[in-house]
Amino acid sequence: IHVLGVFVQSYNHALSASLRIVQLLQHIGEHLAAPLALAMELFVKDFNGKMVVTEAIREITRMDGSELSRDTSGSKALGLFLIETAERVPAVILPSISLLLPLLDGEAYGMRNAVLCTMCEIALQVLSRPGGDMSQRNARDQFLDKIEEHVHDINAFVRSKCLQLWLKLCNAKVIPLSRQQSVLDLAIGRLEDKSSFVRRSSVQLLTAMLRGNPFAAKLSIDALKEQQAREQQRLLELEQAANSKDSSTAPVMLPERQWEEMSANVEKNLVEALDKMKLSVSESDAGESSDSGKDDADDDVDDDAGNALTMDQQLHFLFDPECERNAERVVEEIIQSLTGGRVSEACRLLVKAHQTWPDFEAFDWSYANTSKVSEEDKGRAPLSSAVNKLREMFMASCSEQDNGVQFDLEELIARTGEQCAQGTMSAVSAEQLTKQAMIVKYLSDAIVFSEKMQNAIPVLCQLLGSKSGSDITEAVEFFVAAHQFGLVA
């Protein structure tokens, strides 16, 4: 090897050496892959023979794809040579990676595996170093995109190899945070693969991602959501305080605080609506004479009652006892009234809906065990239950809005920077606000990660009944890790 190195360095034998290396790999076998890769490392480090690596890669890519697919022994040897060389001198292969990309579309799955492993080694050893510039990060992301794409390869060996590469990257802790969720989705999607070794690799990747997760040692969703609610309230308070110089900024409150503000008004309007309901029921039982008296009394109602009657008349077509779809529409009307601040309208709608659909879950405020409570509590039972129904609707609508709007950290940082430049926010407040926003974003990502892990548990439970022993063993390993991190089914 040293003699060849001298010829390469001093007598321009790079091309002939690379040709001979490729021929040896093709015709003798895979046991030469490791020694020849060691020779490549020696040429590069001791004899400045980078051209040998480039020429060898060029010769490999010139081969016919159909020939490589037929000659499994030769393609396997060439693939092992590429992988071994990438592990030893990844920076030298990086400029020639464009030559290898066409092999990803070839018929030989062994060469696809080799190119993907080469990309993984380059991303791991060269492009993931601290302090890398933007071009390196972009190249790394392109390599990781290729590995992601081939998780869905037509060949099971390639799918399994891609999952193993992600496992290697996960153990090395070089998977970018922005890609954690997408890789987790890929692993969960491969749990139901028809190939047993693909399923095994996917469970191993899930276990490694759980044990090496960047979020928390305990991933209880309830605890994370409670902490997120506190930190989000803190963020809203900081943002409101920082923007206090701007008179146009409206105060921001969490749903719980908003409900506390309107709860007294809700109870007051519900009492009036329930009293009117009892009055209307007693008058209808009295007969037609009472109905005429009621019609006369209607002439003396105030403007608010007249407006309420108009609203009821406009929504009268909704109150069909035979149509539960209309009941759902009434729920939407109630929610819109609550979120719009029209509390009296929401209360009247709820009471009328209760009369129309008494057994519908959203409007059913009957108490089954009122025999054990006092007469005073019995009288308040419908009222408190109706208040709880309105609270459930209001909180559910706020929760849906929160889930539908993703937290945009970059937008908040940009807005904070503009306000700081304009003088409407101090530099200290901007820094505190940005830090708090990052904490909220971090907790949101942790909740999404934990929820995805929990959603994978039913599929992993099915693997416990698999005929393949590897499925059972890896599933048990995952459940051990899941118990340690506080996940529950």
Side-chain angles (χ1 to χ4, degrees), residues 308-319:
L309 184 60
T310 303
M311 182 272 294
D312 288 342
Q313 288 174 342
Q314 293 173 351
L315 296 175
H316 180 71
F317 69 95
L318 285 177
F319 293 94

Side-chain angles (χ1 to χ4, degrees), residues 126-196:
V126 180
L127 303 178
S128 296
R129 294 172 181 170
D133 57 15
M134 184 61 69
S135 61
Q136 288 184 335
R137 289 197 292 270
N138 291 336
R140 178 201 63 190
D141 291 340
Q142 291 176 8
F143 289 173
L144 296 182
D145 288 340
K146 290 293 183 182
I147 301 175
E148 271 193 26
E149 290 175 7
H150 284 271
V151 172
H152 303 290
D153 196 279
I154 191 173
N155 190 282
F157 292 104
V158 180
R159 298 197 298 272
S160 177
K161 176 59 71 174
C162 288
L163 292 170
Q164 291 170 16
L165 294 178
W166 281 116
L167 175 61
K168 185 175 185 178
L169 294 170
C170 179
N171 290 332
K173 300 186 184 301
V174 296
I175 299 179
L177 288 177
S178 59
R179 201 177 285 265
Q180 288 272 346
Q181 306 294 351
S182 61
V183 175
L184 182 58
D185 290 334
L186 288 174
I188 294 173
R190 292 295 95 195
L191 288 175
E192 298 182 278
D193 196 280
K194 61 182 180 181
S195 174
S196 62

Side-chain angles (χ1 to χ4, degrees), residues 68-249:
L68 286 173
S69 63
R70 289 194 301 268
D71 184 13
T72 55
S73 176
S75 62
K76 186 175 182 180
L78 292 170
L80 287 174
F81 170 74
L82 282 176
I83 296 171
E84 291 281 348
T85 306
E87 291 176 353
R88 296 175 184 276
V89 285
V92 179
I93 296 182
L94 179 58
S96 304
I97 197 67
S98 60
L99 299 173
L100 295 173
L101 290 179
L103 294 176
L104 290 175
D105 299 323
E107 299 177 10
Y109 73 86
M111 297 306 296
R112 294 203 297 275
N113 278 345
V115 175
L116 291 169
C117 290
T118 302
M119 289 182 171
C120 177
E121 289 297 331
I122 295 173
L124 178 62
Q125 299 187 38
V126 180
L127 303 178
S128 296
R129 294 172 181 170
D133 57 15
M134 184 61 69
S135 61
Q136 288 184 335
R137 289 197 292 270
N138 291 336
R140 178 201 63 190
D141 291 340
Q142 291 176 8
F143 289 173
L144 296 182
D145 288 340
K146 290 293 183 182
I147 301 175
E148 271 193 26
E149 290 175 7
H150 284 271
V151 172
H152 303 290
D153 196 279
I154 191 173
N155 190 282
F157 292 104
V158 180
R159 298 197 298 272
S160 177
K161 176 59 71 174
C162 288
L163 292 170
Q164 291 170 16
L165 294 178
W166 281 116
L167 175 61
K168 185 175 185 178
L169 294 170
C170 179
N171 290 332
K173 300 186 184 301
V174 296
I175 299 179
L177 288 177
S178 59
R179 201 177 285 265
Q180 288 272 346
Q181 306 294 351
S182 61
V183 175
L184 182 58
D185 290 334
L186 288 174
I188 294 173
R190 292 295 95 195
L191 288 175
E192 298 182 278
D193 196 280
K194 61 182 180 181
S195 174
S196 62
F197 44 86
V198 176
R199 295 196 299 270
R200 178 183 61 195
S201 299
S202 65
V203 180
Q204 289 174 347
L205 177 57
L206 279 178
T207 306
M209 292 187 72
L210 180 59
R211 286 177 172 161
N213 81 86
F215 301 111
K218 292 294 182 181
L219 293 172
S220 172
I221 292 181
D222 294 337
L224 288 173
K225 286 185 175 179
E226 182 180 350
Q227 185 178 0
Q228 185 199 29
R230 293 197 302 268
E231 298 297 339
Q232 191 169 3
Q233 177 63 37
R234 172 65 177 160
L235 174 63
L236 295 176
E237 292 173 354
L238 284 174
E239 189 171 6
Q240 184 177 344
N243 294 329
S244 59
K245 295 182 180 180
D246 186 2
S247 59
S248 62
T249 302

Side-chain angles (χ1 to χ4, degrees), residues 447-462:
I447 291 171
V448 173
F449 181 87
S450 181
E451 287 176 343
K452 289 182 178 180
M453 281 290 183
Q454 284 197 352
N455 293 335
I457 289 178
V459 183
L460 288 158
C461 289
Q462 294 178 2

Side-chain angles (χ1 to χ4, degrees), residues 409-421:
L409 178 60
E410 294 182 359
E411 182 182 350
L412 187 141
I413 292 175
R415 187 172 68 249
T416 302
E418 291 177 1
Q419 292 177 346
C420 186

